[in-house]
Amino acid sequence: MKRTAGLVAAILALAATAATAQERITYKSAKSGSSYYQMGVQIAEAVKAGTDGGMIVTVEESQGSVQNVMEAKARGGDYVFTTPPALVGLAQQGKAMFEGKGDPAFDEIRALFPIPSLTMHFVMSEDSGVTDFAGMEGKTILLGKGSFGAREGEKYLGLFGLEGKVELAEVELSNAVSALKNGQIDGFVTAGSYPAPNVIEAAATTGVTILSLSEEQIAETGRTRLVIPAGTYAGQDSDIVTTSLPVVAYATTKMSDEAAYELTKTYWEQRKAMGEDARWWLGVDEGLMDTITGKIHPGAIKYYKEAGIALTDAQM
């Protein structure tokens, strides 16, 4: 009896040790159904596989990047969230949407790794004959409402002398492909990680031209230059030069160095495998490290040094 009791106690002790050893992370990204929420699910699956279940990531729905940043001041060491680096800078300076909402906790935000960028797509039907921005004059364009892509698209129309010279369609962005097919619109603007599902569908079923920006136009926008490689979409024979808004996964200094190291290491090691299931991961490489404008978590720094990935003084 004593031997049996001792065996049970040993098994319970081992189970307790295993439970303690398992690291749990909450990953807050975007609205469910969005591409960025899907990315969170893919990261969760990849981390579980890459750590043999030693690290479990739970994906949490979010209403947007501002909310993600705001919650950083109250969440614990298990909190990981995604946002454009620019928003972290604004939070730390108490500017724009963070005016009057500053908190010393924002200074403890630290980057882990970049994820696919929000990429601008200006998609025109082949029937429209439009091959550059000047050709959009007089055409019917769908911008959508309320999204980053809609705001950015409207800004670009103004920058490139097209304000008031195109007809803006009153159609939901979710109906863009069908509206393009039936001739309701000549083109649409969308922002998302490439390859974007609605652009894939439009290119495969309708035939489209995705516009490139000149270097001068890119400079005017103040956004990050990004190249969508030839062959990404059906009928795309050459590279597309466009703009993007970088997006990065962050934690805070409350996260242990060990957890940040393991999460960052596993993410990069699983990236190619994730790319086999979702091509947007193929757009992530070491080059995106330059888009991290603030400090990187010490645990992640340890991985980058081991991997021979150069970091800037500002990131250290």
Side-chain angles (χ1 to χ4, degrees), residues 50 261-262 264-273 303:
Y261 170 82
E262 191 66 29
T264 303
K265 178 176 183 287
T266 306
Y267 168 78
W268 284 103
E269 290 179 346
Q270 294 291 313
R271 182 181 55 87
K272 287 186 179 179
Y303 166 73

Side-chain angles (χ1 to χ4, degrees), residues 97-312:
M97 65 284 290
F98 298 101
E99 187 174 355
K101 301 174 183 177
D103 194 289
F106 291 144
D107 292 332
E108 302 306 314
I109 293 173
R110 297 291 183 270
L112 296 174
F113 47 79
I115 64 173
S117 301
L118 275 167
T119 304
M120 291 299 294
H121 293 72
F122 291 84
V123 185
M124 303 299 299
S125 69
E126 286 184 348
D127 289 345
S128 72
V130 177
T131 58
D132 57 23
F133 279 88
M136 293 171 69
E137 184 172 344
K139 303 298 183 183
T140 302
I141 306 298
L142 171 58
L143 291 180
K145 296 178 182 178
S147 67
F148 168 78
R151 294 190 299 272
E152 198 78 350
E154 185 176 16
K155 181 179 90 171
Y156 289 18
L157 293 180
L159 287 174
F160 306 152
L162 291 166
E163 187 174 1
K165 297 180 180 180
V166 301
E167 185 175 343
L168 300 180
E170 294 296 325
V171 182
E172 293 295 326
L173 187 59
S174 58
N175 297 323
V177 177
S178 59
L180 198 69
K181 284 181 184 178
N182 62 32
Q184 276 183 275
I185 60 175
D186 297 301
F188 65 91
V189 180
T190 187
S193 51
Y194 78 85
N198 53 354
V199 182
I200 291 174
E201 184 182 356
T205 60
T206 306
V208 299
T209 299
I210 304 167
L211 304 184
S212 275
L213 281 72
S214 67
E215 298 303 325
E216 292 77 12
Q217 287 173 328
I218 291 171
E220 281 187 77
T221 69
R223 295 296 186 191
T224 302
R225 183 182 188 272
L226 184 143
V227 176
I228 301 175
T232 299
Y233 299 108
Q236 180 201 341
D237 298 326
S238 57
D239 291 348
I240 298 163
V241 181
T242 186
T243 60
S244 66
L245 181 66
V247 183
V248 171
Y250 289 90
T252 68
T253 55
K254 293 178 184 176
M255 176 176 280
S256 70
D257 290 358
E258 293 77 12
Y261 170 82
E262 191 66 29
L263 184 59
T264 303
K265 178 176 183 287
T266 306
Y267 168 78
W268 284 103
E269 290 179 346
Q270 294 291 313
R271 182 181 55 87
K272 287 186 179 179
M274 289 193 290
E276 293 174 3
D277 295 324
R279 290 176 58 197
W280 49 49
W281 294 110
L282 302 181
V284 177
D285 57 25
E286 293 178 17
L288 285 184
M289 291 298 297
D290 292 341
T291 65
I292 298 176
T293 52
K295 291 184 180 297
I296 296 175
H297 196 289
I301 289 174
K302 177 185 175 184
Y303 166 73
Y304 291 123
K305 285 184 175 179
E306 288 180 358
I309 297 174
L311 302 178
T312 66

Side-chain angles (χ1 to χ4, degrees), residues 7-24:
L7 183 59
V8 170
I11 291 171
L12 290 174
L14 283 171
T17 301
T20 302
Q22 189 179 69
E23 188 81 37
R24 293 191 172 272

